[in-house]
Amino acid sequence: MNITENNDKMVVDWKFDSMYCKSGSLEGNDLVIRDASGNGNDLRLNTERITEGKNADSYMAFVKDNIYGDKDTECIYVGPENMNSGKKTGAFFETVSDAPVNREEFVNGYTIEVILKIPVDSELSAWSCVFGRKGTGKLSGVKGEETQSNGGLNVSESGELQWNPWTANNDEIQTNPTTWSDADGIQPDKWHHVVIKNDGYSTIMIVDGIQVQRCNTFQKQNGIKALNAGVQGIWVVGTAYWSEADVFSETLCGDAIFKGCIQEIRICRGEVDPKNYLVTEHTIDDRYHLAGNNDPYPDLAGGSNYTFVNIPDPQYQTQYKPEIVDAQMEWIRDNAEKLHIAMAICVGDLSQDGTQREFLRADQTFSILDNARIPYMVTDGNHDGPEFKKYFGGTRYERQPGYQGTGPSGISGYSIISAGSYSYLFLSLPWEEEDAISDREWILNVLDTHREYPTIVFSHFNEDMDTFVKPFDQVFMTVRGHIEERWVSVFKNNMGHDVIDVVTNYQFDLYGGNGWLSTMEFDEEANRIYFRCYSPWVEKKMKILSGEIENNGILLPGEMRLFPFDKLCNTVVATDNMVIEIDFKKRFTTGQ
């Protein structure tokens, strides 16, 4: 960090290197680590939770290992005693009682940098806290879910980082907004540089130089609340707190000890220029080099073939980077004639938090299809909430070609679309139980009175195949999202005929799915359906970087390069790109 920014913004700089030991030792249970910022926010050992007769050096040690790869810089290895005796037993650090940072709530925003590594046996790190404030939300009188926690930066069992401090304006928002890194984003035995930035309103996380698109928090959140429970706003490094207790003690409230290496934690007021981060060049691990290629989307396998497009769970993209969904819609519009795109569907979770802000942006992006008169339908997901009906209820589709009607709830709907030799019926099912109950008879009537149409039933994740799918022979395909797994498989209906079951969801992948669509090309002559995964967003990004089209603010400065995972065609799962054999004439006469 340059000198000016250092003086203006830096609050603490904890370097876990023995050269910053101010006094004491691990063996003597009295080590104090000097705050390298010079602001007096020193750390001291807390040994209240070590086994009697042991010293802190049984639980932690300085080792020569670091993200820079030099031979001199140290980190500190921290660990609980063991799984058998409990993850709560061990030593950790806390700020000294007169540290100025104890009184700091960062109401004008902050930039936090952490350099850490978790071990190969990373299950021992699961649901432990790298650092946070000492105490619990409950003891501070805050409101919201999980008030028994202290928030902070946690490591999940899925290799995610979770940043969920209690905010200074909790009385207003009554929650602790949570920012997550990607699942499996924290790789064992690899150094990671993590940045958490808050502008006084919203928070973003950056891991190894790549901004996380999966789940940042775009809602009013201000500062980091001091959890005053008789501990003067103290900060802790290396442990969590989780308790329903009405009084504070390490015995009652102390929770899991972090297991791993910590090299440095730096906290600044406001936003820091990326060129002044602790790490500016990053080693990208194998996870980012996902299977796939950058081959252009192929032409139709046959001149009379036609395409249906599935837009899987765009929630993180709608919330954090709606330009990605714009690129998807533009691609559908621009390729409608070339690829004979007859219908597009979205399987729900159009939004992440169900906010008006997100639905206004979703409304804007889906208007690209409205203006092009391309038929589409969207069903709701568990993240959409009541705003969904306002923007994507049945009235939205009334002027679309093929749209037939909406169920009593305003969610279920169906369209009949001509493509190739057939007229296909697309039927959406609702997510919410009360809407499903309200629409049940209406849905069954649609299915019962339209048995002559080959039917695709799509939903966020309907599991009631016995009611809405298996009794109706014309239903030859179901399309769903919601869950982390994805597949294209086949099951039998009540008549013994095949039903193709498609589950597609990319939201858990890098960059919230990175704009991947799922397409289905129907080839009646070859009796095949070609399933493909393709990212119009990566295609658009390539065109911007090559100068073929103008940027106009679409790519942020940190995105002005191709990431290793920027693949047009994702082939992580075999079913992302595969072929299903189907005898169209035989299968589509069974339901009549």
Side-chain angles (χ1 to χ4, degrees):
M1 183 179 287
N2 65 41
I3 294 175
T4 301
E5 196 162 25
N6 185 354
N7 292 336
D8 290 346
K9 295 183 175 181
M10 191 185 302
V11 178
V12 301
D13 188 8
W14 296 318
K15 296 177 184 286
F16 296 92
D17 188 310
S18 59
M19 69 178 293
Y20 290 92
C21 293
K22 184 175 181 179
S23 63
S25 65
L26 293 174
E27 296 87 345
N29 289 344
D30 57 354
L31 178 66
V32 175
I33 294 179
R34 172 170 55 87
D35 172 15
S37 75
N39 293 323
N41 296 299
D42 299 340
L43 292 173
R44 69 173 185 88
L45 266 177
N46 184 308
T47 57
E48 295 177 66
R49 286 196 261 142
I50 69 174
T51 299
E52 185 176 356
K54 289 191 174 183
N55 299 320
D57 61 342
S58 298
Y59 306 96
M60 55 177 61
F62 291 104
V63 294
K64 289 184 183 289
D65 191 7
N66 60 83
I67 198 170
Y68 308 119
D70 65 54
K71 64 180 181 179
D72 297 320
T73 303
E74 295 179 332
C75 66
I76 195 161
Y77 174 81
V78 184
E81 185 153 325
N82 55 59
M83 287 294 287
N84 294 327
S85 63
K87 292 168 63 177
K88 299 180 181 182
T89 304
F92 56 93
F93 292 99
E94 64 182 32
T95 49
V96 295
S97 60
D98 59 347
V101 72
N102 296 346
R103 300 184 295 276
E104 177 68 61
E105 292 197 336
F106 299 96
V107 293
N108 294 316
Y110 50 83
T111 300
I112 298 172
E113 293 180 79
V114 184
I115 301 175
L116 58 80
K117 179 171 71 172
I118 61 174
V120 173
D121 53 344
S122 55
E123 69 276 3
L124 287 172
S125 301
W127 296 119
S128 63
C129 187
V130 183
F131 77 100
R133 300 202 92 143
K134 187 173 185 177
T136 66
K138 178 180 178 180
L139 291 170
S140 301
V142 299
K143 300 175 182 178
E145 296 181 2
E146 297 187 351
T147 56
Q148 63 269 40
S149 75
N150 69 316
L153 183 65
N154 305 290
V155 180
S156 83
E157 60 189 4
S158 300
E160 306 147 308
L161 286 176
Q162 177 200 58
W163 172 245
N164 66 335
W166 293 103
T167 64
N169 65 328
N170 177 262
D171 289 342
E172 181 180 352
I173 64 172
Q174 297 189 1
T175 186
N176 56 336
T178 303
T179 302
W180 296 86
S181 72
D182 294 312
D184 298 319
I186 304 303
Q187 300 293 292
D189 202 30
K190 176 187 183 299
W191 282 106
H192 293 282
H193 173 232
V194 181
V195 180
I196 304 164
K197 296 176 68 172
N198 176 274
D199 59 5
Y201 186 91
S202 60
T203 304
I204 62 172
M205 185 183 291
I206 302 166
V207 179
D208 297 333
I210 299 174
Q211 180 174 315
V212 174
Q213 291 291 344
R214 178 195 160 202
C215 190
N216 296 305
T217 43
F218 282 79
Q219 63 188 94
K220 189 174 183 180
Q221 49 181 292
N222 183 257
I224 304 171
K225 186 176 179 63
L227 302 182
N228 292 309
V231 289
Q232 297 80 45
I234 284 173
W235 292 71
V236 290
V237 176
T239 192
Y241 291 91
W242 182 281
S243 177
E244 293 280 3
D246 294 321
V247 295
F248 180 83
S249 74
E250 288 296 335
T251 301
L252 291 172
C253 303
D255 207 74
I257 301 288
F258 173 70
K259 181 171 184 178
C261 294
I262 306 173
Q263 179 182 325
E264 188 168 355
I265 298 174
R266 188 172 72 179
I267 309 177
C268 298
R269 297 185 187 94
E271 295 186 84
V272 172
D273 191 315
K275 69 176 181 290
N276 294 319
Y277 286 167
L278 292 171
V279 181
T280 55
E281 296 184 8
H282 299 87
T283 300
I284 304 301
D285 60 53
D286 290 342
R287 177 176 180 271
Y288 289 93
H289 297 278
L290 58 81
N293 60 60
N294 282 322
D295 295 338
Y297 193 90
D299 292 334
L300 292 173
S304 60
N305 292 4
Y306 46 94
T307 305
F308 301 139
V309 180
N310 174 27
I311 306 157
D313 295 62
Q315 60 210 73
Y316 297 135
Q317 298 167 164
T318 301
Q319 187 177 34
Y320 310 123
K321 191 71 178 178
E323 292 83 358
I324 294 177
V325 193
D326 289 345
Q328 293 176 322
M329 301 304 158
E330 292 163 356
W331 185 86
I332 294 171
R333 177 198 64 197
D334 297 343
N335 287 276
E337 183 175 351
K338 175 184 176 182
L339 300 177
H340 301 163
I341 297 175
M343 182 69 173
I345 59 175
C346 177
V347 294
D349 275 0
L350 195 56
S351 74
Q352 169 63 15
D353 289 336
T355 63
Q356 184 181 44
R357 168 190 168 276
E358 292 172 55
F359 275 103
L360 283 170
R361 195 57 179 84
D363 174 51
Q364 179 182 336
T365 196
F366 274 85
S367 292
I368 294 171
L369 299 186
D370 292 327
N371 295 335
R373 298 281 291 167
I374 295 174
Y376 72 93
M377 291 176 64
V378 182
T379 193
D380 67 330
N382 57 300
H383 282 265
D384 288 324
E387 288 288 314
F388 180 89
K389 292 183 183 182
K390 178 179 177 181
Y391 292 93
F392 287 88
T395 56
R396 184 181 186 97
Y397 315 104
E398 288 177 351
R399 297 183 181 179
Q400 283 194 11
Y403 188 70
Q404 303 296 312
T406 305
S409 73
I411 300 291
S412 301
Y414 75 108
S415 293
I416 297 175
I417 303 296
S418 295
S421 305
Y422 304 96
S423 292
Y424 291 89
L425 190 149
F426 289 83
L427 174 65
S428 64
L429 304 182
W431 168 264
E432 297 293 342
E433 183 178 0
E434 62 181 286
D435 292 329
I437 292 172
S438 174
D439 289 355
R440 176 187 170 91
E441 295 306 317
W442 182 88
I443 293 168
L444 292 174
N445 183 65
V446 169
L447 290 166
D448 189 49
T449 57
H450 294 82
R451 293 180 182 267
E452 70 273 24
Y453 296 108
T455 297
I456 295 176
V457 173
F458 68 100
S459 64
H460 191 50
F461 197 73
N462 167 59
E463 296 183 87
D464 191 1
M465 301 298 177
D466 290 338
T467 299
F468 300 117
V469 176
K470 291 183 178 180
F472 300 96
D473 206 12
Q474 77 271 23
V475 179
F476 72 97
M477 181 184 292
T478 67
V479 181
R480 301 178 288 168
H482 182 53
I483 62 174
E484 185 171 355
E485 295 82 7
R486 54 186 185 264
W487 63 74
V488 178
S489 62
V490 175
F491 63 84
K492 299 292 185 181
N493 65 16
N494 292 351
M495 283 60 69
H497 298 131
D498 287 346
V499 178
I500 302 168
D501 184 32
V502 182
V503 175
T504 307
N505 186 5
Y506 299 106
Q507 73 177 84
F508 299 100
D509 289 49
L510 293 158
Y511 237 53
N514 211 29
W516 287 305
L517 294 171
S518 174
T519 65
M520 300 173 278
E521 178 185 336
F522 281 51
D523 188 337
E524 295 180 19
E525 184 174 339
N527 283 319
R528 290 179 172 179
I529 301 176
Y530 302 92
F531 291 87
R532 296 189 180 94
C533 166
Y534 190 75
S535 176
W537 164 248
V538 175
E539 179 184 303
K540 187 173 184 178
K541 185 175 181 178
M542 289 177 170
K543 290 179 179 178
I544 291 173
L545 294 174
S546 67
E548 186 176 339
I549 61 176
E550 292 186 16
N551 186 14
N552 293 326
I554 296 168
L555 295 182
L556 299 176
E559 297 170 323
M560 291 295 291
R561 68 188 193 278
L562 286 180
F563 298 139
F565 54 85
D566 278 332
K567 301 294 176 66
L568 291 170
C569 178
N570 178 338
T571 57
V572 172
V573 178
T575 56
D576 289 335
N577 299 271
M578 68 173 296
V579 179
I580 287 285
E581 305 287 341
I582 178 173
D583 188 327
F584 287 91
K585 290 182 179 179
K586 182 177 180 181
R587 181 64 182 90
F588 288 175
T589 56
T590 56
Q592 298 179 16

